[in-house]
Amino acid sequence: MPKKLIKRFIPSHEHIKRQKALSVFGSLLHNPNLWCLNRRSASGAFAVGLFMTFVPLPSQMIMAAGLAIAFGVNLPLSVTLVWISNPITMPIMFYLAYKVGAWLLNTPRHEFYFELSWSYLAEQMSILGPPFLLGCLVCGLLFALFGYFSIQWLWRYSVVRSWNKRRIRRLSLKIPADKLKKVLPGSRKPAENDAKPD
């Protein structure tokens, strides 16, 4: 189930390889591990993609592709997940990152005002920069770990569920229906006053 669902949302190999921004990686894109989709590559791609969403730089996709190549995880999924941070979600994500960093550094709260000048921007970056960057790092790591272990668990759960369904189907082919009810867990035991078949 996770594999089919993920394949529905990630772009094709050809589409990714046509991206001019990724041409800097050259022949590294021919590694077959970057295009396969299994539990290891999908969970690793989630970790890479979710970490990169909290990197406050404009070249997130290229960096996500570089990390996917370095760790040998699914490249299309890593690059696609970066789009979680977009102009709509970015203010919320980066505000959360700043609050986390300010809480960790115990930064005192100060009045906010806006002034369009280089000196104002430099002053604000010296005040807001350290908690913001620390918060981005911490949130990126936490979301990466959450994504990694969630996909690992979901993939395993899906495989076990699929095996159980297959086992039940095989049992139903080998055992008559009346005996199958006794074998399957949760089946109701027939009461003594139940009508017996003729």
Side-chain angles (χ1 to χ4, degrees):
M1 173 260 192
K3 190 171 185 176
K4 289 178 185 175
L5 184 66
I6 290 169
K7 277 189 172 181
R8 196 180 306 169
F9 291 103
I10 61 174
S12 65
H13 303 179
E14 292 75 25
H15 179 75
I16 292 287
K17 287 177 180 176
R18 279 198 306 265
Q19 299 297 317
K20 289 182 181 177
L22 299 181
S23 63
V24 295
F25 297 112
S27 62
L28 292 173
L29 294 176
H30 299 299
N31 182 352
N33 290 331
L34 301 176
W35 309 103
C36 72
L37 192 60
N38 54 36
R39 187 174 69 170
R40 184 199 158 283
S41 69
S43 54
F46 263 81
V48 166
L50 291 175
F51 177 77
M52 290 310 302
T53 58
F54 282 93
V55 173
L57 293 172
S59 54
Q60 290 173 315
M61 283 178 63
I62 297 171
M63 290 187 287
L67 285 177
I69 290 168
F71 291 111
V73 298
N74 188 277
L75 188 138
L77 187 55
S78 300
V79 171
T80 303
L81 284 165
V82 168
W83 285 100
I84 290 173
S85 66
N86 54 60
I88 296 168
T89 60
M90 244 182 231
I92 300 163
M93 291 171 61
F94 288 158
Y95 180 71
L96 169 70
Y98 169 73
K99 293 297 276 184
V100 168
W103 176 72
L104 289 171
L105 292 175
N106 202 14
T107 305
R109 193 174 170 199
H110 66 283
E111 293 286 325
F112 179 78
Y113 68 95
F114 182 73
E115 181 185 313
L116 191 57
S117 69
W118 289 111
S119 60
Y120 167 80
L121 290 174
E123 179 191 342
Q124 288 302 309
M125 278 313 292
S126 66
I127 296 169
L128 301 177
F132 172 65
L133 293 175
L134 176 64
C136 284
L137 177 65
V138 170
C139 286
L141 288 172
L142 288 176
F143 275 83
L145 287 170
F146 175 76
Y148 179 84
F149 288 112
S150 295
I151 294 300
Q152 285 275 332
W153 177 84
L154 185 63
W155 204 286
R156 180 172 169 72
Y157 171 78
S158 177
V159 168
V160 169
R161 192 165 163 240
S162 170
W163 283 351
N164 285 339
K165 280 184 179 178
R166 197 176 306 149
R167 195 179 108 245
I168 290 168
R169 199 166 40 245
R170 284 182 185 158
L171 282 172
S172 66
L173 293 173
K174 291 180 181 176
I175 301 171
D178 58 336
K179 291 185 181 177
L180 183 63
K181 285 182 183 177
K182 295 176 186 174
V183 174
L184 293 177
S187 60
R188 186 178 70 87
K189 289 184 178 178
E192 289 180 10
N193 57 357
D194 281 355
K196 293 183 179 178
D198 295 331

